Amino acid sequence: MSPPVDPVASDPALPGRVDVVVIGGGIIGAATALFLAEKGLSVALCEKGRIGGEQSSRNWGWCRKMGRDPSELPLAIESLRLWEGMNARTEAETGFRKAGIFYLCETPQDIAQHEAWLEHAREFQLDSRLIDGDEIARLLPGASRRWPAALYTPSDGRAEPQKAAPAIAEAARRRGAAVLTGCAVRGVETKAGRIAGVVTEKGPIACQAVVLAGGAWSRLFCGNMDLAFPQLKILGCVMRTAPLEGGPEEAVGAANFAFRKRLDGGYTIAQRNANLAPIVPDSFRLLFDFLPALRQQRHELRLRIGRRFIEEWRLPRRWALDRATPFEQVRVLDPVPDDGILDEGRANLVKAFPAFERMVVQQRWAGLVDVTPDAVPVISAVDAMPGFFIASGFSGHGFGIGPGAGRLMADLVAGDTPVVDPTPFRYARFAKAPSRAAA
């Protein structure tokens, strides 16, 4: 069941021409549209369903630098800077609060892993630090046990996934962007080998550039263009509670639970390190691309075959632009949550923090997270298709680094100096021959 997302109405008319079409109305697409509009470019933000309807409204809501891949750290730092001013920028409530995040350690191996990461944090003068059990008890009271250590970053925070992407999209509209919901982009049109426009289900839009921010749908869209994009989907399950007095303000992750306080006084709760990896046809097509990651994360992923295999097997992988596409067949990905995983996470949390025994769960949902083989996103031009850009594959990090990703993508499209070095996010690191794209 989908969480309640702030509604965003569609513009009534399709623009005939814009500078840039952004495909996908999640937080990455909305942020890209906002920063492009702030640069004075005309933009159409096209979403097949509703703004923030998929993973952008279904994630945990953490906004963190802590624990990021070193290649993502500059982007995460920029994102936190942007998050701090996002309410003012959007003239709306995104829910961002700088409340701090803890990673609780269970074993000496956990501590050693965090110590190794702190070497990267020191390079950027982050306020992340390892704290001992006494300081944990003082900063995070109410635990039923003593934790040996924790990685703690006071300047990290949280925001509201059901509010942020809609607020950012509305801000883009106030700066001149067209926001089109229920408007699937079927494909791109080219002239002299470069982007000349898109074809939507409502008609064509001429443009000079296209940004694909399609989340879990991006691989399918690229395949129809003969572009290889190695991307799989992971199922994440979440629940939210009614307001609960006396709980921590900080977000907390342990080995087998995670929580963060919501703006309404309740909590968003999940079981950490327990994601489902649905086995689908692409699991076999991309086996060798993802095999190293599967070996490394085998303890965190639960492989499962179910109806998603049949659903994706039946989805067309090629289509003509004058016919309905898979994006019109499925407007919003709304997978069923795994109650077993959520019940385990709840039990683990209550055992560690007894105050949560009083929680009243109001809703459970799931979302499909788009992942790449190295768990680092693509934020990049595609050299083989001038004017075409991809911002996808955020591997569960998209909400937190969404503002920075949108700013970087806008810089790349506009030809401005990038806000951070885009090299780690280049598409070319995954590029394959056209024949592999359709394999």
Side-chain angles (χ1 to χ4, degrees), residues 151-166:
L151 185 62
Y152 175 49
T153 305
S155 62
D156 280 349
R158 61 177 193 252
E160 291 301 327
Q162 290 93 50
K163 291 182 172 295

Side-chain angles (χ1 to χ4, degrees), residues 2 53 72 109 154 322 325 357 369:
S2 171
E72 285 186 352
Q109 290 77 16
D322 60 351
T325 66
E357 191 167 9
V369 180

